[in-house]
Amino acid sequence: FEQILQEIRDHNTIIIHRHKTPDGDAMGSQIGLKHILKDNFPEKKIFVVGDGAGHYSFMDDCLMDEISDDAYADALAIVLDCGSAHLISDERYTTAHRTARMDHHIFGSQICDAEVIDTSYESCCGLVTEFAVESGLTLSLMSAKALYTGMITDSGRFRYDSTSPSTFRLAAALLEQGFDLNQVYRELYADDLSKMQLRATF
């Protein structure tokens, strides 16, 4: 993580991207990293961009920023949870001064200048959480709640084979921040119910 952390330190503007039509992991990692950076580097300008949150519009701070093309000139663009360039929401990341990527999908090809790709993580949220923990960065209630939401959606509520002891170690670090766990599950199960009802109409 050292190179990505140094890129963050070297840039005053950071723009966070993720894949199109986001799932919980894409939204969670994007919102989570946004608040990690805002909490630990309050002097920097942090933006999140991409298409709408869709089913995950219940997540706190899920609205995307509208920024001009000029914002990329001296910026670091960070791509999350995306294994292929054509899936990245908002192609302007290519115009940034520097680019970085954190992802848990199988490596296809290099997309960014600095990359951390690790398929041993159940989610990109798990990878971003590890980045914060290993880098000694503060986790807040807001960042932890977003990251936990993405972690449980991509692990099938901790039921998928990708779930490991490390998953629970990182989940514990997030839970220590004191967000309302019941609220997270209420929102997710309400979303699950709405999807079931929609499928029942076909």
Side-chain angles (χ1 to χ4, degrees), residues 5 7 9 15 24 41 44 56-57 70 75 77 85 90-91 99 114 121 124 155 184 198:
L5 183 60
E7 293 284 2
R9 287 174 172 150
I15 305 167
F41 303 96
K44 297 184 184 295
Y56 295 90
S57 58
D70 295 341
D90 197 328
E91 297 175 353
T99 56
Y121 288 86
C124 189
S155 65
V184 172
L198 179 61

Side-chain angles (χ1 to χ4, degrees), residues 5 9 31-42 128-145 147 173-174 176-177:
L5 183 60
R9 287 174 172 150
I31 297 169
L33 182 60
K34 171 187 175 179
H35 286 277
I36 288 170
L37 298 182
K38 286 175 71 71
D39 294 337
N40 290 274
F41 303 96
V128 171
T129 303
E130 188 77 84
F131 164 72
V133 171
E134 289 296 318
S135 301
L137 302 176
T138 299
L139 288 163
S140 64
L141 184 150
M142 180 71 83
S143 60
K145 183 179 179 182
L147 291 168
L174 298 175
E176 287 175 356
Q177 308 314 313

Side-chain angles (χ1 to χ4, degrees), residues 8-34:
I8 290 168
R9 287 174 172 150
D10 289 345
H11 291 84
N12 291 323
T13 300
I14 300 166
I15 305 167
I16 307 171
H17 295 246
R18 37 80 181 159
H19 65 71
K20 302 171 184 176
T21 315
D23 56 8
D25 190 29
M27 288 303 303
S29 57
Q30 188 181 37
I31 297 169
L33 182 60
K34 171 187 175 179

Side-chain angles (χ1 to χ4, degrees), residues 98-163:
R98 293 282 291 175
T99 56
R101 175 168 63 139
M102 286 190 275
D103 186 36
H104 70 122
H105 296 100
I106 295 173
F107 178 81
S109 60
Q110 185 166 346
I111 295 173
C112 297
D113 299 314
E115 298 192 327
V116 174
I117 313 297
D118 194 330
T119 59
S120 69
Y121 288 86
E122 82 298 324
S123 62
C124 189
C125 282
L127 186 58
V128 171
T129 303
E130 188 77 84
F131 164 72
V133 171
E134 289 296 318
S135 301
L137 302 176
T138 299
L139 288 163
S140 64
L141 184 150
M142 180 71 83
S143 60
K145 183 179 179 182
L147 291 168
Y148 187 86
T149 300
M151 185 179 289
I152 60 177
T153 58
D154 246 32
S155 65
R157 316 297 194 268
F158 303 123
R159 292 181 292 110
Y160 295 162
D161 290 342
S162 58
T163 303

Side-chain angles (χ1 to χ4, degrees), residues 72-84:
Y72 284 85
D74 297 312
L76 170 67
I78 301 179
V79 176
L80 300 173
D81 196 36
C82 198
S84 300

Side-chain angles (χ1 to χ4, degrees), residues 40-54:
N40 290 274
F41 303 96
E43 75 283 0
K44 297 184 184 295
K45 297 177 182 177
I46 313 297
F47 301 105
V48 290
V49 297
D51 51 341

